[in-house]
Amino acid sequence: MAQLIDGKAVAARVRAEVKSEVDRLRAERGLVPGLAVVRVGDDPASQVYVAGKKKAAEEVGFRSWEHHRDSTLSQDELLALVHRLNEDPAVHGILVQLPLPRHLDAEAIISAVRPEKDVDGFHPLNAGNLLLGRPATRACTPLGVMRLLEEVGCEPAGKRAVVVGRSNIVGKPMALMLLQRNATVTLCHSKSDLREEVSRADILVVAAGVRELVKGAWVKPGAVVIDVGMNRKEDGKLVGDVEFSAAAERASYITPVPGGVGPMTIAMLIRNTLEAAMRQATPSAH
């Protein structure tokens, strides 16, 4: 049976590391990182995520602000808010919670956030720097996955890594981060022969948003399985994109859902905000 990778415990460690760094910065330089979260409309999942982000920010000693606007907000009004936060020196990180209401152009809004304040790692400049292997803010979820692999002593170099799902938020940056660590990477999508590809993976990261898409029987014995999916069954139970119990019989390590990757996303957002604050307070870093 696979060992469970406890994302909650690892996320708590990341937050503790950030908190001690924040305490030091405040004492030595009077610097307090500031995170502004922008939420438009009343998407219930977004409400939960934003509350979690705010709570984590306050726990580590950040200043944090939530700018909640009605779903009737216009594109120009939202751009004006982002511009104001870009200019505010107390705000080191800006996070625009997705999804936005349909009439708003999410790409234009994300591109309007200053790259150095983009703590989600979604700005085209940060995404491009990741592609080129340059320093940049990395997307939080794949960054959290890399930390989980590190925690269980899984070194990607020389291993075959398979990423299922090619979103800009998880799949693509995940593949690039694994490639940077010298894994041989395959990126799968709806036209891939999943059974075939999954069966060869030493490291399997599944982020397709399809309930139990990857069958446990396909998993290579001894593989490390990271399930990014979060789907609700008819009975209200949360399950991932991997058929958990069957996969756990074959894998060496596996993340549970919930309690695996989820807590890491917020922990890495907090870490990204700390690093953004430090870079902005050190002008020579630009």
Side-chain angles (χ1 to χ4, degrees):
M1 278 296 281
Q3 273 185 266
L4 283 189
I5 305 175
D6 186 345
K8 278 186 186 164
V10 180
R13 273 203 289 285
V14 173
R15 288 198 305 273
E17 292 162 9
V18 171
K19 188 178 184 334
S20 69
E21 196 67 12
V22 170
D23 292 345
R24 186 185 65 79
L25 285 175
R26 184 189 280 116
E28 289 177 11
R29 299 161 63 177
L31 175 64
V32 181
L35 174 65
V37 180
V38 177
R39 181 166 69 87
V40 184
D42 290 303
D43 179 73
S46 292
Q47 243 166 315
V48 174
Y49 290 142
V50 168
K53 288 166 182 174
K54 212 167 175 301
K55 183 170 173 276
E58 283 159 9
E59 264 174 27
V60 298
F62 288 0
R63 290 199 188 104
S64 86
W65 303 269
E66 183 187 349
H67 297 271
H68 179 222
R69 298 290 187 269
D70 196 77
S71 58
T72 55
L73 188 76
S74 73
Q75 180 89 356
D76 285 347
E77 287 167 326
L78 183 50
L79 285 168
L81 171 59
V82 168
H83 180 68
R84 203 170 77 238
L85 296 173
N86 277 336
E87 297 303 319
D88 185 343
V91 174
H92 302 101
I94 302 169
L95 183 148
V96 179
Q97 183 64 44
L98 301 174
L100 289 170
R102 275 210 142 103
H103 67 282
L104 298 171
D105 178 351
E107 281 186 21
I109 302 299
I110 287 165
S111 299
V113 174
R114 277 200 190 144
E116 64 270 24
K117 293 193 178 192
D118 158 44
V119 285
D120 259 333
F122 295 164
H123 190 283
L125 188 70
N126 287 327
N129 279 331
L130 168 62
L131 177 72
L132 298 171
R134 293 177 182 166
T137 303
R138 307 290 196 235
C140 304
T141 302
L143 194 58
V145 172
M146 295 306 287
R147 176 66 187 254
L148 290 177
L149 292 175
E150 210 173 285
E151 290 280 333
V152 299
C154 176
E155 173 48 60
K159 291 194 174 70
R160 190 180 281 278
V162 171
V163 179
V164 181
R166 56 174 165 188
S167 73
N168 293 333
I169 292 173
V170 183
K172 287 179 192 169
M174 186 78 254
L176 289 165
M177 287 181 205
L178 286 162
L179 189 61
Q180 245 175 22
R181 294 288 295 276
N182 301 311
T184 300
V185 183
T186 302
L187 187 54
C188 297
H189 42 77
S190 58
K191 300 286 187 279
S192 305
D193 180 343
L194 268 192
R195 175 194 290 256
E196 180 64 28
E197 299 298 346
V198 165
S199 70
R200 293 203 290 256
D202 302 310
I203 298 170
L204 175 65
V205 182
V206 188
V210 180
R211 190 169 92 192
E212 297 177 330
L213 170 72
V214 171
K215 303 305 167 204
W218 303 349
V219 171
K220 179 180 176 179
V224 175
V225 178
I226 310 280
D227 190 347
V228 183
M230 181 80 83
N231 314 285
R232 202 172 285 282
K233 289 173 84 163
E234 289 75 11
D235 62 6
K237 188 172 178 273
L238 286 172
V239 293
D241 291 355
V242 177
E243 193 184 32
F244 179 82
S245 48
E249 286 175 18
R250 298 170 67 86
S252 58
Y253 289 95
I254 191 167
T255 55
V257 175
V261 178
M264 293 303 296
T265 300
I266 292 182
M268 297 329 267
L269 168 76
I270 296 299
R271 168 148 286 292
N272 279 351
T273 305
L274 167 68
E275 288 172 0
M278 289 165 76
R279 281 196 300 270
Q280 286 164 58
T282 314
S284 59
H286 289 311

